[in-house]
Amino acid sequence: MPETPPHDTADVLVVGSGIAGCAAALQAAREDAEVLLVTKAERPADASTDWAQGGITTARGDPEALKRDVLAASDGTADPDAVDVLVREADAAVEDVLLETLGIGFDEREDGAFDYAREAAHSERRILHVDAATGTHILRPFLNYVDDHERIEVRQDTAALELITHEGGVHGVLTDEDPTGHPVYAGATVLATGGIGALYPRSTNPDGATGDGIAMAALAGADVADLEYVQFHPTAYAGDDPFLLSEALRGEGAVLRNADGDRFMDDYHPDAELAPRDVVARAVETEREETGEVVLDVRTIEGEFEDEFPGIAENCRDRGLEGEEIPVAPCEHFLCGGIDVDDRGRASLEGLYAVGECTRTGVHGANRLASTSLLEGLVWGLRAGEAAVDREAKLRIVDAPELRDGDPALPERFSAEKFTRLQRTMDDSLGLERDPDGIARASAVLRRLKGEVDAYTRTRTSRELYELRNACVTALLIARAAGENTESRGCHHLVREDSPTAEPEAPR
């Protein structure tokens, strides 16, 4: 018998260390599984969860009211059954993990009750938060807890490069721990790899948000869905070093003004600044084009801006802003679609699960309701972690692909220049507004770009090259979905619906 190459094994393998990945790892360990969590992050700030500002929504005892708001924000496109799962399990998941297990100190009022916030498209105050840096205050304790768990091994600075597949099933991943790929085999593999912010020049995501899980799953043959729905946050700082100005600011009374000093959101939607994100983002962009600038006026906030939002105020001071009228512009924020999964996080390939922003659960439809992303990651992470511990699923050591790494290193600035080209294409044709001709042109550019990158991945193995490949694959999938959807809904806004649509080729 030939000798088996060096490899690792686990009952459950989790790829990604945000709230969804940590929740999946925690629940699988609670079910007595041996869990290996691998993440390319080297610090909490490398995960999208750490960047989440506003908070995590709860049902606050009224799941039907939250369901109505989720469906309304989605423009009626969210899956009601998926939304039922979210709202039904919201309060219990928050109570179990965030309050009882981790002891997160959410902001309170003077009387000791939670200081629930309200954000855009929410009909009431139901959002738990810590200042406007909720993700940081949740993720870091969660990572520490998971890292200390006796059944969970956390391996940082470790990127997954390919899924290991055999006969229509997934049996683990190849990581970059060896030059030609290090096999990690598992009874179940859970992808929790985050979003796609690196595909756009301006994003609220960390630099490592390159669509890794979506690309790996799609290349292995898994179903993906709703990838045309890329959400742009309406209020990111408009300068060269963008940062998010949380929707909680508008929930507490901040208003948007154009360069003439006029408050304009009443002209676009009856809910004004608290309209759904896609509506506000397009309105901000329109006013910027027509008047030259849009600012977020924080002087109208109830209470002092510096006292209510110290973290955001510090970001303003670091950039020389006075913190009264802050220039804003839309910025890529969240992908509403992704790997198509069921209510337990199961993908279409046997043995593959996915949770968090890399998935399409059906909760968000065409537009995500504010502060539901952390909740979706938590709820689906727990459900997938439990489902992944399938007592009948058996760990199989199958032949893993051996990656080639014989050619010289990449040319200097190869990845940076290709990423710039990709970002420019996505920004021009797959941003806030699209038209069929532009989508078709973008698809052609992205196909050529992917071909150039593929020529290098055949003979070289490096994290930056595979991130670039993943970004190209995901960009092509977004272009294909946008080209196939001729209806403007939510985040997918077509400006010339009478033009012929193109059908870009699927990535190969």
Side-chain angles (χ1 to χ4, degrees):
M1 294 288 292
E3 184 177 347
T4 304
H7 61 275
D8 289 307
T9 62
D11 295 329
V12 175
L13 169 65
V14 179
V15 183
S17 58
I19 188 171
C22 286
L26 172 62
Q27 191 60 35
R30 286 173 167 178
E31 300 290 325
D32 294 331
E34 295 297 327
V35 181
L36 174 60
L37 186 153
V38 301
T39 173
K40 67 180 183 181
E42 296 183 68
R43 57 198 179 101
D46 293 334
S48 294
T49 296
D50 200 66
W51 292 44
Q53 284 190 359
I56 181 167
T57 192
T58 66
R60 204 175 175 184
D62 191 351
E64 287 303 313
L66 177 58
K67 179 180 180 179
R68 287 193 296 270
D69 288 351
V70 171
L71 291 173
S74 78
D75 197 11
T77 60
D79 178 350
D81 291 336
V83 179
D84 277 337
V85 171
L86 184 80
V87 303
R88 184 178 66 241
E89 300 190 8
D91 291 350
V94 169
E95 179 76 23
D96 170 22
V97 178
L98 303 187
L99 298 178
E100 294 183 358
T101 302
L102 302 180
I104 305 299
F106 291 110
D107 288 351
E108 298 178 347
R109 302 185 317 217
E110 290 184 1
D111 62 3
F114 285 128
D115 180 28
Y116 290 101
R118 181 186 174 198
E119 295 186 15
H122 283 269
S123 58
E124 62 181 76
R125 290 179 172 270
R126 57 164 75 96
I127 298 166
L128 293 171
H129 60 96
V130 184
D131 181 23
T134 308
T136 293
H137 289 276
I138 288 175
L139 181 60
R140 299 180 188 214
F142 210 164
L143 279 171
N144 290 335
Y145 187 90
V146 167
D147 198 28
D148 289 340
H149 199 289
E150 62 180 2
R151 290 190 174 276
I152 303 172
E153 177 189 350
V154 177
R155 198 172 293 178
Q156 298 186 55
D157 192 19
T158 303
L161 304 177
E162 301 275 7
L163 294 177
I164 300 173
T165 60
H166 182 70
E167 296 180 348
V170 173
H171 301 277
V173 302
L174 284 177
T175 72
D176 64 350
E177 294 168 281
D178 292 330
T180 56
H182 178 76
V184 179
Y185 296 100
T189 301
V190 183
L191 297 177
T193 55
I196 61 160
L199 277 62
Y200 289 84
R202 285 174 48 83
S203 173
T204 61
N205 293 186
D207 292 340
T210 48
D212 299 336
I214 295 168
M216 287 189 294
L219 290 171
D223 294 338
V224 297
D226 288 354
L227 285 165
E228 68 269 38
Y229 298 127
V230 181
Q231 186 179 76
F232 289 77
H233 200 287
T235 54
Y237 170 54
D240 293 334
D241 185 15
F243 66 96
L244 185 63
L245 291 154
S246 170
E247 221 153 69
L249 290 164
R250 283 175 279 134
E252 296 300 323
V255 299
L256 291 160
R257 302 187 188 278
N258 61 25
D260 300 325
D262 297 329
R263 183 181 177 188
F264 56 84
M265 275 308 304
D266 285 326
D267 297 332
Y268 290 88
H269 195 278
D271 291 336
E273 278 81 7
L274 295 183
R277 280 181 176 171
D278 62 305
V279 175
V280 181
R282 287 193 294 273
V284 168
E285 190 60 24
T286 298
E287 294 292 326
R288 278 170 50 83
E289 291 173 356
E290 292 182 355
T291 72
E293 184 181 51
V294 167
V295 298
L296 186 66
D297 186 348
V298 299
R299 294 172 295 185
T300 52
I301 286 177
E302 297 180 13
E304 291 293 326
F305 169 59
E306 294 264 352
D307 295 337
E308 298 295 323
F309 300 96
I312 295 176
E314 182 179 358
N315 277 334
C316 290
R317 288 194 300 271
D318 290 344
R319 292 159 178 81
L321 301 171
E322 294 299 324
E324 293 185 347
E325 293 186 329
I326 307 163
V328 295
C331 195
E332 191 282 333
H333 185 56
F334 188 88
L335 179 64
C336 298
I339 304 164
D340 200 12
V341 298
D342 68 6
D343 63 357
R344 295 284 174 178
R346 289 179 287 240
S348 60
L349 298 179
E350 188 70 27
L352 181 64
Y353 297 75
V355 292
E357 191 176 350
C358 69
T359 69
R360 184 270 184 193
T361 62
V363 162
H364 307 305
N367 185 57
R368 177 174 70 87
L369 177 66
S371 289
T372 54
S373 57
L374 293 180
L375 180 63
E376 181 197 37
L378 178 62
V379 169
W380 256 261
L382 294 174
R383 292 172 71 85
E386 180 179 15
V389 187
D390 185 340
R391 301 303 175 190
E392 295 182 4
K394 295 187 179 176
L395 181 124
R396 294 183 62 189
I397 308 299
V398 301
D399 289 338
E402 186 170 325
L403 307 179
R404 298 178 62 187
D405 191 42
D407 280 5
L410 290 171
E412 187 175 356
R413 292 196 53 75
F414 174 87
S415 292
E417 290 173 358
K418 301 298 183 189
F419 256 115
T420 298
R421 187 168 147 205
L422 184 149
Q423 290 172 343
R424 185 182 303 118
T425 301
M426 298 295 287
D427 193 42
D428 289 346
S429 301
L430 290 158
L432 266 177
E433 293 186 337
R434 294 103 181 252
D435 71 79
D437 293 339
I439 294 169
R441 288 193 299 272
S443 300
V445 171
L446 293 169
R447 284 196 299 272
R448 289 195 298 270
L449 181 58
K450 180 177 179 293
E452 294 167 12
V453 174
D454 284 345
Y456 283 87
T457 56
R458 293 187 188 102
T459 57
R460 295 169 177 83
T461 303
S462 73
R463 185 180 304 186
E464 65 173 339
L465 183 58
Y466 273 76
E467 286 180 329
L468 178 59
R469 180 210 65 174
N470 293 337
C472 289
V473 170
T474 304
L476 265 172
L477 290 167
I478 292 170
R480 183 178 70 182
E484 291 174 346
N485 188 346
T486 60
E487 182 182 19
S488 285
R489 299 293 289 271
C491 301
H492 178 57
H493 188 73
L494 294 169
V495 294
R496 289 196 298 115
E497 296 186 34
D498 58 339
S499 296
T501 57
E503 294 186 2
E505 297 174 9
R508 295 187 176 93

PDB file of all heavy atoms in Angstrom, residues 217-233:
ATOM      1  N   ALA A 217     -16.379  26.742  -3.284  1.00  0.00           N
ATOM      2  CA  ALA A 217     -17.587  25.929  -3.371  1.00  0.00           C
ATOM      3  C   ALA A 217     -18.091  25.844  -4.812  1.00  0.00           C
ATOM      4  O   ALA A 217     -18.457  24.771  -5.291  1.00  0.00           O
ATOM      5  CB  ALA A 217     -18.662  26.505  -2.456  1.00  0.00           C
ATOM      6  N   ALA A 218     -18.106  26.986  -5.506  1.00  0.00           N
ATOM      7  CA  ALA A 218     -18.599  26.993  -6.888  1.00  0.00           C
ATOM      8  C   ALA A 218     -17.711  26.153  -7.795  1.00  0.00           C
ATOM      9  O   ALA A 218     -18.202  25.402  -8.651  1.00  0.00           O
ATOM     10  CB  ALA A 218     -18.680  28.426  -7.398  1.00  0.00           C
ATOM     11  N   LEU A 219     -16.403  26.257  -7.626  1.00  0.00           N
ATOM     12  CA  LEU A 219     -15.493  25.471  -8.449  1.00  0.00           C
ATOM     13  C   LEU A 219     -15.631  23.979  -8.176  1.00  0.00           C
ATOM     14  O   LEU A 219     -15.366  23.155  -9.055  1.00  0.00           O
ATOM     15  CB  LEU A 219     -14.051  25.926  -8.217  1.00  0.00           C
ATOM     16  CG  LEU A 219     -13.698  27.315  -8.759  1.00  0.00           C
ATOM     17  CD1 LEU A 219     -12.321  27.745  -8.280  1.00  0.00           C
ATOM     18  CD2 LEU A 219     -13.758  27.344 -10.282  1.00  0.00           C
ATOM     19  N   ALA A 220     -16.070  23.627  -6.967  1.00  0.00           N
ATOM     20  CA  ALA A 220     -16.292  22.215  -6.632  1.00  0.00           C
ATOM     21  C   ALA A 220     -17.655  21.719  -7.111  1.00  0.00           C
ATOM     22  O   ALA A 220     -17.939  20.527  -7.028  1.00  0.00           O
ATOM     23  CB  ALA A 220     -16.172  22.011  -5.120  1.00  0.00           C
ATOM     24  N   GLY A 221     -18.499  22.647  -7.597  1.00  0.00           N
ATOM     25  CA  GLY A 221     -19.793  22.241  -8.115  1.00  0.00           C
ATOM     26  C   GLY A 221     -20.980  22.549  -7.233  1.00  0.00           C
ATOM     27  O   GLY A 221     -22.103  22.140  -7.541  1.00  0.00           O
ATOM     28  N   ALA A 222     -20.780  23.285  -6.133  1.00  0.00           N
ATOM     29  CA  ALA A 222     -21.893  23.623  -5.245  1.00  0.00           C
ATOM     30  C   ALA A 222     -22.759  24.716  -5.865  1.00  0.00           C
ATOM     31  O   ALA A 222     -22.286  25.564  -6.624  1.00  0.00           O
ATOM     32  CB  ALA A 222     -21.363  24.084  -3.886  1.00  0.00           C
ATOM     33  N   ASP A 223     -24.032  24.704  -5.521  1.00  0.00           N
ATOM     34  CA  ASP A 223     -24.959  25.722  -6.008  1.00  0.00           C
ATOM     35  C   ASP A 223     -24.718  27.054  -5.295  1.00  0.00           C
ATOM     36  O   ASP A 223     -24.449  27.091  -4.078  1.00  0.00           O
ATOM     37  CB  ASP A 223     -26.405  25.297  -5.754  1.00  0.00           C
ATOM     38  CG  ASP A 223     -26.816  24.075  -6.572  1.00  0.00           C
ATOM     39  OD1 ASP A 223     -26.164  23.814  -7.604  1.00  0.00           O
ATOM     40  OD2 ASP A 223     -27.786  23.398  -6.174  1.00  0.00           O
ATOM     41  N   VAL A 224     -24.835  28.145  -6.043  1.00  0.00           N
ATOM     42  CA  VAL A 224     -24.795  29.490  -5.476  1.00  0.00           C
ATOM     43  C   VAL A 224     -26.050  30.224  -5.945  1.00  0.00           C
ATOM     44  O   VAL A 224     -26.669  29.843  -6.936  1.00  0.00           O
ATOM     45  CB  VAL A 224     -23.524  30.254  -5.890  1.00  0.00           C
ATOM     46  CG1 VAL A 224     -22.275  29.563  -5.361  1.00  0.00           C
ATOM     47  CG2 VAL A 224     -23.444  30.410  -7.410  1.00  0.00           C
ATOM     48  N   ALA A 225     -26.418  31.291  -5.247  1.00  0.00           N
ATOM     49  CA  ALA A 225     -27.647  32.004  -5.605  1.00  0.00           C
ATOM     50  C   ALA A 225     -27.594  33.435  -5.092  1.00  0.00           C
ATOM     51  O   ALA A 225     -26.858  33.760  -4.141  1.00  0.00           O
ATOM     52  CB  ALA A 225     -28.872  31.296  -5.023  1.00  0.00           C
ATOM     53  N   ASP A 226     -28.359  34.320  -5.742  1.00  0.00           N
ATOM     54  CA  ASP A 226     -28.564  35.717  -5.325  1.00  0.00           C
ATOM     55  C   ASP A 226     -27.290  36.544  -5.292  1.00  0.00           C
ATOM     56  O   ASP A 226     -27.203  37.529  -4.550  1.00  0.00           O
ATOM     57  CB  ASP A 226     -29.238  35.772  -3.946  1.00  0.00           C
ATOM     58  CG  ASP A 226     -30.700  35.351  -3.997  1.00  0.00           C
ATOM     59  OD1 ASP A 226     -31.215  35.128  -5.110  1.00  0.00           O
ATOM     60  OD2 ASP A 226     -31.330  35.250  -2.926  1.00  0.00           O
ATOM     61  N   LEU A 227     -26.309  36.194  -6.116  1.00  0.00           N
ATOM     62  CA  LEU A 227     -25.036  36.905  -6.066  1.00  0.00           C
ATOM     63  C   LEU A 227     -25.102  38.304  -6.668  1.00  0.00           C
ATOM     64  O   LEU A 227     -24.171  39.097  -6.472  1.00  0.00           O
ATOM     65  CB  LEU A 227     -23.952  36.081  -6.763  1.00  0.00           C
ATOM     66  CG  LEU A 227     -23.464  34.889  -5.957  1.00  0.00           C
ATOM     67  CD1 LEU A 227     -22.682  33.926  -6.831  1.00  0.00           C
ATOM     68  CD2 LEU A 227     -22.620  35.330  -4.782  1.00  0.00           C
ATOM     69  N   GLU A 228     -26.168  38.634  -7.377  1.00  0.00           N
ATOM     70  CA  GLU A 228     -26.287  39.993  -7.910  1.00  0.00           C
ATOM     71  C   GLU A 228     -26.597  41.011  -6.825  1.00  0.00           C
ATOM     72  O   GLU A 228     -26.439  42.223  -7.031  1.00  0.00           O
ATOM     73  CB  GLU A 228     -27.370  40.047  -8.990  1.00  0.00           C
ATOM     74  CG  GLU A 228     -28.786  39.846  -8.523  1.00  0.00           C
ATOM     75  CD  GLU A 228     -29.235  38.394  -8.545  1.00  0.00           C
ATOM     76  OE1 GLU A 228     -28.410  37.516  -8.214  1.00  0.00           O
ATOM     77  OE2 GLU A 228     -30.414  38.132  -8.895  1.00  0.00           O
ATOM     78  N   TYR A 229     -27.029  40.543  -5.657  1.00  0.00           N
ATOM     79  CA  TYR A 229     -27.469  41.458  -4.606  1.00  0.00           C
ATOM     80  C   TYR A 229     -26.298  41.855  -3.701  1.00  0.00           C
ATOM     81  O   TYR A 229     -26.079  41.292  -2.632  1.00  0.00           O
ATOM     82  CB  TYR A 229     -28.596  40.813  -3.793  1.00  0.00           C
ATOM     83  CG  TYR A 229     -29.828  40.520  -4.626  1.00  0.00           C
ATOM     84  CD1 TYR A 229     -30.391  39.239  -4.640  1.00  0.00           C
ATOM     85  CD2 TYR A 229     -30.410  41.502  -5.412  1.00  0.00           C
ATOM     86  CE1 TYR A 229     -31.515  38.966  -5.408  1.00  0.00           C
ATOM     87  CE2 TYR A 229     -31.535  41.231  -6.183  1.00  0.00           C
ATOM     88  CZ  TYR A 229     -32.076  39.964  -6.179  1.00  0.00           C
ATOM     89  OH  TYR A 229     -33.188  39.696  -6.946  1.00  0.00           O
ATOM     90  N   VAL A 230     -25.552  42.842  -4.158  1.00  0.00           N
ATOM     91  CA  VAL A 230     -24.409  43.377  -3.416  1.00  0.00           C
ATOM     92  C   VAL A 230     -24.868  44.663  -2.739  1.00  0.00           C
ATOM     93  O   VAL A 230     -25.227  45.636  -3.403  1.00  0.00           O
ATOM     94  CB  VAL A 230     -23.219  43.667  -4.348  1.00  0.00           C
ATOM     95  CG1 VAL A 230     -22.028  44.215  -3.551  1.00  0.00           C
ATOM     96  CG2 VAL A 230     -22.820  42.411  -5.117  1.00  0.00           C
ATOM     97  N   GLN A 231     -24.859  44.679  -1.420  1.00  0.00           N
ATOM     98  CA  GLN A 231     -25.370  45.833  -0.691  1.00  0.00           C
ATOM     99  C   GLN A 231     -24.278  46.873  -0.458  1.00  0.00           C
ATOM    100  O   GLN A 231     -23.158  46.544  -0.050  1.00  0.00           O
ATOM    101  CB  GLN A 231     -25.939  45.392   0.660  1.00  0.00           C
ATOM    102  CG  GLN A 231     -26.626  46.515   1.424  1.00  0.00           C
ATOM    103  CD  GLN A 231     -27.195  46.035   2.731  1.00  0.00           C
ATOM    104  OE1 GLN A 231     -26.469  45.825   3.701  1.00  0.00           O
ATOM    105  NE2 GLN A 231     -28.523  45.871   2.782  1.00  0.00           N
ATOM    106  N   PHE A 232     -24.637  48.125  -0.726  1.00  0.00           N
ATOM    107  CA  PHE A 232     -23.743  49.252  -0.474  1.00  0.00           C
ATOM    108  C   PHE A 232     -24.276  50.047   0.716  1.00  0.00           C
ATOM    109  O   PHE A 232     -25.463  50.384   0.759  1.00  0.00           O
ATOM    110  CB  PHE A 232     -23.654  50.153  -1.713  1.00  0.00           C
ATOM    111  CG  PHE A 232     -22.897  49.518  -2.846  1.00  0.00           C
ATOM    112  CD1 PHE A 232     -23.489  48.548  -3.638  1.00  0.00           C
ATOM    113  CD2 PHE A 232     -21.580  49.875  -3.098  1.00  0.00           C
ATOM    114  CE1 PHE A 232     -22.791  47.939  -4.668  1.00  0.00           C
ATOM    115  CE2 PHE A 232     -20.873  49.266  -4.120  1.00  0.00           C
ATOM    116  CZ  PHE A 232     -21.478  48.307  -4.905  1.00  0.00           C
ATOM    117  N   HIS A 233     -23.399  50.306   1.670  1.00  0.00           N
ATOM    118  CA  HIS A 233     -23.814  51.109   2.818  1.00  0.00           C
ATOM    119  C   HIS A 233     -23.835  52.571   2.395  1.00  0.00           C
ATOM    120  O   HIS A 233     -22.899  53.051   1.758  1.00  0.00           O
ATOM    121  CB  HIS A 233     -22.845  50.914   3.987  1.00  0.00           C
ATOM    122  CG  HIS A 233     -23.436  51.313   5.305  1.00  0.00           C
ATOM    123  ND1 HIS A 233     -23.637  52.623   5.669  1.00  0.00           N
ATOM    124  CD2 HIS A 233     -23.887  50.562   6.346  1.00  0.00           C
ATOM    125  CE1 HIS A 233     -24.174  52.666   6.878  1.00  0.00           C
ATOM    126  NE2 HIS A 233     -24.344  51.428   7.304  1.00  0.00           N
TER     127      HIS A 233
END
